[in-house]
Structure formats: structure tokens, C-alpha cells
Amino acid sequence: SNFARTQAIQTISQRSPMDLGKTDPLSKIWACDVFNLARMEECLSKNAFKAMKKTFQTGAMLDPATADVVAAAMKEWAMSKGAKFFSHIFYPMTNATAEKHDGFIITSPEGNAITDFSGSLLIKGEPDGSSFPNGSIRATNSARGYTAWDPTSPAYIMHTANGATLMIPCVFLSWTGEALDKKIPLLRSNAAMNTAAQRVLKLMGETDVATLNSSCGAEQEYFLIDEAFATARPDILLSGRSLFGAAPAKGQQFDDHYFGAIPERVQVYMQDIEDKLYRLGIPAKTHHNEVAPGQFEIAPYFEAANVAADHQQLLMTVMKTTAKAHGFLCMLHEKPFAGVNGSGKHVNWSVGNSTQGNLLDPGQTPEENLHFLAFCGAVIRGVHLFGPLLRAVIASASNDHRLGANEAPPAILSVYLGDQLEQVFNDIKAGKILKTEKGGHMDLGLSQILKFERDPGDRNRTSPFAFTGNRFEFRAVGSSQSVSGPLIAMNTMLADSLHWVADKLEAELNSGKDVATATLAVLKTLMEQHGNAVFGGNGYSPDWHKAAVEERGLKNLPTSADALPELLSPEIASLFERTGVLTPAELYSRFEVYAEQYINSIDVEAKLMVNMATTMIYPAAVTYLSELAATAGNLQDLGITLDNSVASSVATEANALMVAVGKLSAARAKHDFDSVKDHMTFLAGTVRDLMTEVRAHADTLETLIADEMWPLPKYSEMLFIK
Ligand code: ADP
Ligand code: MG
């Protein structure tokens, strides 16, 4: 019956925007729940604070005595905020976070409750990690996994309705020291990038070079639908997307939702999450409507990559949990509604330090221009050599619905530089940019050329990887994904390329060239070898898809079944090994985990489809048919003949639906695959095709069956009723 669906609409018609009361001023709430450097300065001794600050800024080891002092101060602060528990929070190889909560409490022999939190409890925890995916790493070693405090990401308080918990960001590793999470490789990739960047900058004549760090600002797209609708849709609840649903009459044809007025209930929800984020020290900066109806975006200001990655996870958690209180379901799935624009997560990335500034910013002086060209060139080489890696780190069953479809960046990785910068690199390649002297000073003239106008130059939305004035924007990342994988890949490929640049630069300098001439010579070679990755045209066009592969030698990896096995290529294994970011075993375990996630998510969807088609959609068709049949019979008694074309269409589609369901069930039962790759390929091809077939019949039935008999909330309802 359609009881749940009508009930949902009734529930929603009673809703009003949540009353948040008057919100506190930013100055009062900003980072009030974070144990950050400012707070530490207040409550730590001078020496302890100095040690902490150094660790925070450079990643230097913290001595155990200081850790004890920090732990004591952290506990005092957390308890003063009402926390009775603490938790190590870590980032396993899923896109989610994991926690283990412990009380501060211990009892004295006299039976009094006292509290305890030593440096060693702060530094190390031992969750029962056996339930987290680890590939084959721990099967061969031990079931134990450890969490260890990451002092470079600040601890914070998470409030619930009836309590508060001190959350301590951690790495997660096996007892043999192998990375079981996404944080360890991110920290390592950052360190590798720093080492290589130091080399290049010193060769370029810089004497004072502070530690380099990568930065990340992530734009998060999402959908909001009313929770009451979600409750009536098992597919949305269990797989995060609608497996069925006919296109609404009013779709997104008019694009009138983009930057349009935000409905009040949504606005109040956004304010609520933003206040929560501010308390957690997350700099939420912009929010607006997105392309599709019901779709929105939130973007915090950029931060150091490691902190940004933790904050991004926290942001997704806050968005999901806060939505409940407002009667919404926050959907982070990449393609919740077929035929409607999907959701991505643009990962804006740059590298820099306090002495040279942002190395991906062309800057004002010829020296800055030269640094910029070297780093930008290194990125171009990285994308050319490791495009398949960039494709693999964004591979998932859900993101496959976007990539390759004509709405999101294509599954071919190329770099968009913008007309002016592309011209500069082409001129370098052609040997046309030379060092000139102006008034005794070197002049590359780039500060004039590279006055980037952000519009419309960088508005090539069809590129998966675009230069946007002072950073690169990796746009093919999926909305539900952790930003760590992309950041690890970008930092690591940059580290490798900067070493290549440094080697070449060293040789040129040794041959007696000055820095500018040597750098331009290196970049000329770089462009000759790797310029094929630069593409400024329309990434959606079929011509490009053909030319990219046939003329440029780039790889087109349309599905995760094509992309994930790239992680096993010798080039990528060697990249991670020589930069010290992942051992071959750590890399292999990641392939296993991501492949398993891919297989599981498609299998869950296929199973859900079979269930819903059999128990909800087919019965609706049969009920309608029996009503039509009864009516036709009754009318016949009166001598009236009812046209039976609808009934026969419903019958035809219902039969076809069940035939397709049968084929899908049979496909699900197949288990004899020669390899994981074969299994993935089967799911990406045969199974997904059968799912499309099942869906086509179900969606046709939705357009035939009486509205009041249709059990599932319709697209028009979910997308437009708020
Ligand atoms: P757009 O929609 O034009 O792409 P937004 O302002 O929505 O831009 O988002 C841009 C994101 O890029 C923000 O998170 C911003 O803080 C971030 N960003 C800006 N400069 C840098 C930089 N140098 N490095 C990394 N991220 C940056
Ligand atoms: Mg953007």
C-alpha cells in the first residue's frame, strides 16, 4: 500500500523550520570546543607550550614528559566542559571515522571515583580493531591495531544531548607499524613533498626554507530530502541512493535552483551546522544552492591538509547528525537520483610555507614566478605519469555514476591550466620564454602575463583537474569520499616530480647555467615529455575521449573495475615505495579493501533491487491489475467495454520486470571468478546492466500505475517538497 508515502507527505506538511533561538556571536563560539594552540598557551607551562607548538608546526616528535603535561591540561580542560569520557578517533580505510570511548574514571581502594589521564593514555590506545578493513595486513600478522595520538591535529569536545566527550585525533597502525588508516600515508606524503620541495628551493638559491605543508579546501555538495520520505524508501536508507524512480516532470531543466533562494528550513539547518562547525574550529565559509533541486554546497576556508582532512570527516558527521534534528536526511551519495545532477567534492590543493609562501601562486616577483613554474610543471608531470593513480583514488561504486557520465569531470585525467598559463608553458616548450634583464634585474615578465582573472578562464567545469589561480582543484572527487586519498596521491606525485626536477636542475646548474636559465631548460624537457596531460578543451566531448587515448596516450578508466587494479601497477607501487608513503604490502591492502568495498556495495544494491521489485513494485502492479480487471468485469456487466491498453501495458511491464529480476538474482549467485578484477568487471558490466534493465521496467510501471497505489515516494516529491 502507499500508506508510508502518504503518511510522509502528511508529516512534512506539519513541519516548520526548527527554532534555534538567537545564535551566539562568532567571537564567543569560535573554536570554543577545541584544545588548540591558543588554549594550550593559556594552560601549559612556557616550555611545554614551546614543545607543543614546534610539534604542531613541524611534526617534530614530542617527548613523553611533555605529553604527560599536555594530557593533564587536556583532561582538566575537557572535564571543565563536562566531558567524562575521552575517545581516540581514527580514520580507517573506509570513508568513515571510528572511535573507542573510555571514561576518565578510575576508583580508589576506598571506593572513591577519581580521574586519570596520563600521557601514555593520550598517546596510545588499543581499540578492538579487528572489525576494521585492513586488506591482508593483519591477517598475516596480528589482529591487534593501535591508535596513536596525532598532536598536529587538535583535540576537541563532541557534545551530545546528554554528555560531552574529548575526541583525540589519532593514527591507526598494526603492531608491526603498518598503516591501517588514511592519516598515516597523508602525513608521510606531506613529509615526502616537503623533502623534495626543500631540495628544489635550495637548488634555486633559497637559503631560508621553512617546512612545507600542503593545504586543502574542500567544497562539499549534498542533497537534503525530508526524513519522512527516506523512511519510506529502503533503497535510500540502505544504499544511500534511489534505485528506482521515474524522472519528474519538473526536473532541473531550468537550472533555477542554482544560487536561488534557499528554503527557510534548509537555511536554518545550514545555520545550525555552521554554528556547530565554528565551535569545533572549522571555518565554514560559503553555502549555496547547487545545480539540482534539493542540492546544496558548503565550503570551509582552506587549512593544512592533515587538519582539513580531519575537519572534512567531522563536517560530514555533523551534517548527517544535525540533519536528523531538522527532519532531513543529508545525502552525501555521489548520485542519489538518476537523471539529476550528482554530487562531488572539489578538493582545492596547494603547497607552501611561511618563507616562500604559496608555491602554486605565480606571485609578484620574477623569483616567485620561477618557483611557481617549477612547482606547476611538477604537477603537470605528476598528472601525466600518475593520472591512473588519481583516477584510482576516487574510484568507488557510487562515484562511477558521475565519472564518465556527461555531467561530471571525465574519467580521463588531464590538467587544465587556463589559456594564459597554457600559453606560457607552450612557449617554454618552444624555447620562447627566455631570461631577460631589465635594469640589471632578471625579468620573466610573468607577473604581467599571469594576472589571472578567475572568470571566465577557470570556469572550465569539464576538467577533472584544474589550475584556479593559486591552487589546483581536483574536481572528480566524490561527495562521500575522504579527501585523504586524493591528497595523498597529489602530495606523493608532486614529491616524485620535484625530485625529478631537482635531479635535472642539479645537472643544469653543474653545467654552469644560472638558476633561471637552468629552470627553464628543465621545464622545456618536462613539457616535451609530459605536456600531453595539458588539455584546455571540452572534457565531455567524445572527440576528446578518442584523442586523449589514441593521440595523447592517456588512459580512459570509466569504471572502478578498470581503475582500482591500476593500484597494482609497478609504476604506482614504485612511486609509493621510493617516496616512503606506502610499502608494497600497505598499497596492496588498500587495493583489497577498496575492491571489497566496491563488490559489497554493488551486491547490496542488487539484492535490495531484487527485494524491492519483488515485494513492493510487482505487488503494486498486481493490485492495480486486479482493480482494473474487477472494474472491467463490472463494466462488462453493464454492457460497457473498458479499453484494456493500460492493463496490458502494466501486465507486460510487470512480467518483464520479474524476468529481469530473475536474471539479476542469477547473476548475483555467480561466485566463481578467476580474480578480484574479474569479479569487479562482472559487477561493473553484467550486473549493473541488469540493474538498469530492472529499473527501466519499474520506472515505466511508476508512470502507468495509479498514483495512490504507488508505494515509493516519487522523485517530484522527494526533490521538491520541503
Ligand atoms: P569555487 O566555487 O569558485 O571553486 P569556493 O570559494 O566555493 O570556490 O571554494 C574554493 C575553496 O578553495 C575554498 O575552500 C577555499 O578556501 C579554497 N582555497 C582557496 N585558496 C586556496 C589555496 N591556496 N589552497 C587550497 N585551497 C584554497
Ligand atoms: Mg570549486
Side-chain angles (χ1 to χ4, degrees), residues 217-219 297 299 345-348 454 458-459 461 468 471 473-475:
E219 303 158 54
E297 177 183 301
K345 176 142 54 199
H346 294 177
V347 175
N348 292 269
R454 292 213 52 207
D458 75 329
R459 287 293 146 183
R461 290 291 181 188
T468 53
R471 60 187 187 269
E473 183 171 342
F474 191 4
R475 296 179 177 142

Side-chain angles (χ1 to χ4, degrees), residues 223 250-252 257 290-295 337 340 719-720 722:
F223 277 85
K250 182 180 189 330
Q252 61 187 94
H257 183 73
E290 260 303 330
V291 183
Q295 191 186 29
F337 304 100
V340 175
L719 291 169
F720 293 102
K722 273 198 181 72

Side-chain angles (χ1 to χ4, degrees), residues 214-219 258-259 283 285-288 290 297-303 346-351 358 360-361 454-455 458-459 461 468-473 475:
S214 49
S215 295
C216 163
E219 303 158 54
Y258 198 44
F259 288 117
K285 179 107 176 101
T286 55
H287 66 223
H288 55 77
E290 260 303 330
E297 177 183 301
I298 178 169
Y301 197 69
F302 69 102
E303 302 179 277
H346 294 177
V347 175
N348 292 269
W349 165 77
S350 63
V351 300
N358 175 1
L360 292 175
D361 190 327
R454 292 213 52 207
D455 277 314
D458 75 329
R459 287 293 146 183
R461 290 291 181 188
T468 53
N470 60 0
R471 60 187 187 269
F472 280 91
E473 183 171 342
R475 296 179 177 142

